[in-house]
Every structure is written in structure tokens, then in C-alpha cells.
Amino acid sequence: MNQPRQTASYLSKRLAEAGLRPVSKYGQNFLIDLNLVDLIANSAELRKTDVVLEVGTGVGSLTSRLSDAAGAVLSIEIDMNLHQLASEELAGRPNVKLLQGDALRNKNSLRDDLKGLVVDAMRRIGQDARFLLVANLPYNVATPIISNLLHQTPPPDAMVVTIQKELAERIVASPGTKDYGALSIWIQSLCHAEIVRILGPKVFWPRPKVDSAVIRLDLDHQKRDAIADLDYFHQTVRALFFHRRKFLRSNVISAMKNRLDKSQVDEVLQSLGHGETARAEELSVEQIQQLVEALRIAEGNVG
């Protein structure tokens, strides 16, 4: 089966033949180290009962490897010209469905048809089907893609993605560090997260100005099910970190404006043992979870 050779010389020649060049606004930095393309595919530990979503088809180098290992691949490419090139490269692969367009409807939601396409593919495979995201994600959409997929039902059982190193460090950050924040808590509340490999700029064409990382996120269904209201949790966590330098009490009062008064906020904080000088970034993921749930219950009691 054809395997697109995604080297710098191949890509520059292939794009030049089509009168194309990489488009910076789409975050087109192609991974040209073939061993690292294989690393991404292998790190996903795919099986024939897997449905894989890839965001950013490129010319189909990673797509072909996913097709070899998975049951079904849905790959979406925003660039119409690259979509056409990938369609030529991946012809004859019946388990690959190529989509052209933006994976996002807006920054807070995915395009409308993605969920249905994933569910249909999983239904065809049967009860053993898993859903995974495996992709070399464009930097500018990495956060909304990952975050929105965790909101979706079904969410991916695992994600193996190449993202900006700085973003990967925020995802795996520990309490009390500069990188720890709302994104760390949101993802760690739902997943086990680990950085697989740090990648320097030279393994991409064109070279980005920053380092990248391959990260793996494994969904913990029990953790996800333990959160009573995902939307409430996500929005409240983001509000708690909106003003990082403020004390926790000030952030909670601001987040709960017109929903809980100051005395009710103080009652919640005191019940959890958080003093006046506590800050959100000092609390563990579990402590943030307890706080958000206590606020949700207190707000419900008021209502």
C-alpha cells in the first residue's frame, strides 16, 4: 500500500509541482523525521477495532500509517489544496475518510458532523470499538481541539498528538508551578497525561520557532463520570484562574457573582479549610474538584 514519504525534499517537490507552498495561517509545519511519524502512530497502540480522528491530514504521511493499524480513520484538512493532494496519495484505502474544512465550528465547539461520523464508524466496527485522536496538531487549534473533544460524547479513549512544548508543559503541570492552571486541571481531572518526546524545530519543514512535544492523554472514565456537571466544572475552573495573582477568595467571589454572596463563598471556603491567603494555583487537582463541587451544591441550595 502506498506510503507518502514525508521528507523535506519530497514535500518541497510535491508542493512545488502543484504550485503550492506551506501556509503559515494554517500552522503548516510538516513533521519530516519519518521515525517520529512512526513514533506518533506506534504510541497510540492502535488495533483494528479503533476509530481514529486526525486533524491536519497534510499530504497523508501519518494518515497512511494510521490506516494500516486502525479500523477506520477520519482525517480532516482545512487547506483545500492539501486535501486534494492527500486524496491522491491515499487513494485505494477504503478505511480512510477524508474531510475538507475546519475541524472547529468555533473556538468552543467542533464542526457539526464530526460526532456523527465518529459514532457511525464505531457502530460499524461493533461493541469493541474505541475512539482516538492521533494527529500532528496545528499549534493554533491544539487547545480547542483537545478541550472540546473531552466535552464531547463519546470522548476519545486516548489522544496522541504533537503540540507546542509550552502547551504540553501546561497540560502536565503540578500545583504551585508557573504552568499550572485551568487547562492543567481540566485535562488532569479527566485523563492521565504524559509527555512522550520533546521535538526540536529541525524535525519539521518549515521549521517552527519553538519546540514541540508528543503527548499522550488516556481518558479515565471513572474520573470523568465522577464530575457531576462537566460544563459547570470547566467554566468554574476557568473563572478561578482568570486573575491568577488574586487570592482564592477574590477569584471565587468574582466567579460566583450574582450566584453566591460573600458570606456564602466564605462558608464554602471555610468548610474546605482554605484560609484568606490561599491561591488557586496552590490547590491540587482534587482540591479544586472538591471546591467546584461544593460551590455547585451551594448554588443549587440557593436556587
Side-chain angles (χ1 to χ4, degrees):
M1 188 66 71
N2 55 318
Q3 293 274 7
R5 297 285 295 173
Q6 189 162 299
T7 61
S9 58
Y10 168 83
L11 284 170
S12 59
K13 179 181 178 183
R14 189 76 175 89
L15 267 63
E17 288 172 348
L20 305 175
R21 62 180 61 185
V23 181
S24 59
K25 72 175 181 178
Y26 293 148
Q28 290 177 359
N29 300 101
F30 301 95
L31 187 58
I32 55 173
D33 186 319
L34 301 181
N35 291 324
L36 293 176
V37 175
D38 288 337
L39 171 71
I40 296 169
N42 294 338
S43 295
E45 300 175 331
L46 295 174
R47 49 200 190 213
K48 286 299 182 181
T49 51
D50 289 340
V51 174
V52 178
L53 172 65
E54 179 189 24
V55 177
T57 314
V59 297
S61 182
L62 177 60
T63 320
S64 65
R65 286 156 175 79
L66 301 177
S67 169
D68 290 341
V73 179
L74 301 170
S75 186
I76 183 166
E77 173 57 56
I78 194 171
D79 187 320
M80 188 177 295
N81 294 312
L82 281 187
H83 169 74
Q84 181 59 43
L85 286 184
S87 299
E88 297 169 8
E89 296 284 357
L90 298 166
R93 290 181 176 270
N95 68 337
V96 174
K97 182 176 181 62
L98 298 179
L99 307 171
Q100 194 279 315
D102 197 333
L104 295 168
R105 182 159 59 97
N106 54 54
K107 68 177 183 179
N108 296 315
S109 61
L110 300 164
R111 61 183 276 171
D112 294 333
D113 60 345
L114 273 188
K115 177 181 176 179
L117 290 169
V118 168
V119 170
D120 287 346
M122 294 179 74
R123 188 179 296 120
R124 287 194 298 272
I125 287 175
Q127 62 181 8
D128 294 330
R130 295 189 308 167
F131 169 38
L132 294 90
L133 172 70
V134 186
N136 178 23
L137 288 177
Y139 287 158
N140 58 341
V141 298
T143 298
I145 291 291
I146 293 169
S147 187
N148 289 322
L149 279 171
L150 289 174
H151 269 294
Q152 179 178 285
T153 301
D157 293 284
M159 305 188 204
V160 178
V161 290
T162 305
I163 57 178
Q164 193 169 339
K165 180 189 173 189
E166 178 184 341
L167 177 59
E169 290 172 339
R170 286 168 54 203
I171 288 173
V172 302
S174 300
T177 64
K178 66 178 178 64
D179 293 320
Y180 185 69
L183 185 67
S184 321
I185 293 160
W186 169 238
I187 293 180
Q188 291 178 37
S189 292
L190 305 172
C191 303
H192 300 289
E194 67 167 322
I195 294 176
V196 177
R197 183 79 62 88
I198 302 298
L199 310 179
K202 69 180 181 179
V203 301
F204 294 91
W205 179 80
R207 293 185 180 185
K209 296 179 180 179
V210 296
D211 287 342
S212 304
V214 178
I215 191 167
R216 175 164 176 146
L217 308 175
D218 286 279
L219 185 72
D220 187 321
H221 289 273
Q222 287 186 324
K223 281 185 174 183
R224 190 175 191 266
D225 292 344
I227 297 175
D229 186 327
L230 277 178
D231 286 337
Y232 184 93
F233 179 76
H234 190 213
Q235 292 168 9
T236 306
V237 168
R238 290 176 66 187
L240 292 179
F241 283 84
F242 194 73
H243 299 288
R244 289 185 63 95
R245 299 188 179 186
K246 288 187 176 181
F247 289 121
L248 177 63
R249 179 177 181 270
S250 295
N251 280 331
V252 175
I253 289 171
S254 178
M256 294 293 108
K257 187 177 181 180
N258 300 324
R259 293 148 68 185
L260 294 175
D261 61 33
K262 291 182 181 180
S263 64
Q264 291 165 329
V265 167
D266 287 338
E267 186 177 337
V268 169
L269 293 176
Q270 289 166 12
S271 72
L272 295 173
H274 300 312
E276 292 184 1
T277 59
R279 296 182 186 274
E281 66 256 34
E282 298 169 349
L283 304 186
S284 69
V285 172
E286 293 76 17
Q287 287 176 309
I288 293 287
Q289 290 170 341
Q290 291 168 1
L291 172 58
V292 173
E293 180 61 9
L295 291 170
R296 190 185 72 85
I297 292 171
E299 188 176 345
N301 290 337
V302 171

